[in-house]
Amino acid sequence: MLAASVFFLTPRAALLAPMVIVPVAAFVVATRRVDRVRRILHLPPPPASRGRERVLLLAAIVLLLVVAAMQPVVRTRTGLRARTDAQVFVVLDTSRSMAAAPRPGAPSRLDQAKRVALSLGTRLHGVPLGVATFTDRVLPDLFPTSDTGAYDSAVDAVGIESPPPRDTNTVATTFDALTQTATEGFFAPSARRRAVVLVTDGESRPFDQATIADSLRSQHIALSVVRVGGSGDRVWDGDRAEANFRPDPAAARLNVARLAQAVGQAPGADAGAVAARAVGSGPTHIVGIEPRVRSLSPIFAVLALAALAVYLGAGALSKWLRDVTFAPRGWRRRGATT
């Protein structure tokens, strides 16, 4: 299903259309002056078609620029197809430690996590994706949708401790909260194939990985864990590192390894591949309408430039033909001496 319509964002620019008279009138006046000079000098008149062509080119250049200024756009509406038997939730760790970065101004751990989430949106095309934030609880920001624009916007909007954790602790995150994805209605009943991709720096309070694995397995949810961050990361206040943040990369790696092992994720497994394998393949259905808007102004601007190039090129060629004649011994300029 495809429907299209064309409209103008700035239709008032059409008031500039009468400007086409200016270059045409200037060309007519100049042509008359040239004709008078030709008659005085008894020169042969140029082909009539050449003058008409140049006038038409001038008019076309102005009209094309006017249409470009009106900003024409084409809007299409196509059926949005997606799986209804599979859903994936991308859970982003938003604890304070995710603000850490290797140096001031460098991408933070949360920035890295967002890049992972956006790449998953591209790789899992056709599978509804949801976004959730994670500290000592998991809260959905966006339930699984096939609208890639909504998904990307939800990922971009995720911020550190937004919302904040319920409890105040040196380490706010606890992986035990992941059981909520199985018990709090995160997935639609029609989605029989389910996956959760957790993107975290691995810092967590003590947790029971067996309970987490059993809870997810009972609801047929596959879990994939992606760790971001490095041992040299710090939370920066301007150019100074916060003194109360000290990363523990060894503990973070161990936490991620324990959780991954409990859910059966192979060491170093690609998160996108794990999620894709969990949801598999299946039929798609039309679940909505996807509108798209494309500007046509660049096309008319390029056509105007092309017409201008033809106009200038035709003028240059005409001058060259006037200045050059063909002789038996080759090309030579009029009046040139040998």
Side-chain angles (χ1 to χ4, degrees), residues 12 39 55 67 69-70 81 238 251 270 283 296:
R12 290 186 179 181
R39 286 194 297 271
V55 170
V67 174
M70 294 172 66
R81 304 189 68 88
D270 180 76
L296 300 179

Side-chain angles (χ1 to χ4, degrees), residues 134-136 138 173-180 204-212 259:
F134 164 65
T135 51
D136 59 355
V138 180
T173 308
T174 173
F175 287 164
D176 285 328
L178 292 171
T179 59
Q180 294 175 352
S204 171
R205 302 202 299 266
F207 62 94
D208 185 347
Q209 67 268 26
T211 300
I212 297 172
L259 184 58

Side-chain angles (χ1 to χ4, degrees), residues 144-165:
T145 177
S146 300
D147 187 337
T148 55
Y151 173 78
D152 292 347
S153 297
V155 171
D156 289 335
V158 171
I160 296 295
E161 293 189 337
S162 178

Side-chain angles (χ1 to χ4, degrees), residues 227-248:
R227 180 174 175 263
V228 295
S231 58
D233 293 349
R234 297 291 184 274
V235 176
W236 300 94
D237 183 7
D239 292 333
R240 295 192 308 172
E242 292 187 0
N244 59 351
F245 175 75
R246 287 290 183 271
D248 189 352

Side-chain angles (χ1 to χ4, degrees), residues 19-32 47-63 307 310-312 314-315:
M19 290 180 61
V20 71
I21 300 174
V22 176
V24 173
F27 182 84
V28 171
V29 171
T31 301
R32 290 180 177 178
S49 61
R50 185 180 302 169
R52 288 195 297 269
E53 290 173 358
R54 302 194 71 186
V55 170
L56 291 175
L57 279 173
L58 279 173
I61 291 169
V62 176
L63 290 177
V310 172
Y311 177 82
L312 296 177

Side-chain angles (χ1 to χ4, degrees), residues 175-176 178-183 208-223 258-259 261-264:
F175 287 164
D176 285 328
L178 292 171
T179 59
Q180 294 175 352
T181 60
T183 61
D208 185 347
Q209 67 268 26
T211 300
I212 297 172
D214 291 341
S215 179
L216 296 177
R217 196 175 294 116
S218 68
Q219 296 299 316
H220 310 288
I221 301 173
L223 175 66
R258 287 173 51 207
L259 184 58
Q261 183 180 16
V263 297

Side-chain angles (χ1 to χ4, degrees), residues 189-210:
S190 61
R192 300 184 303 276
R193 298 182 176 182
R194 307 170 178 180
V196 169
V197 178
L198 171 64
V199 190
T200 176
D201 57 11
E203 299 189 14
S204 171
R205 302 202 299 266
F207 62 94
D208 185 347
Q209 67 268 26

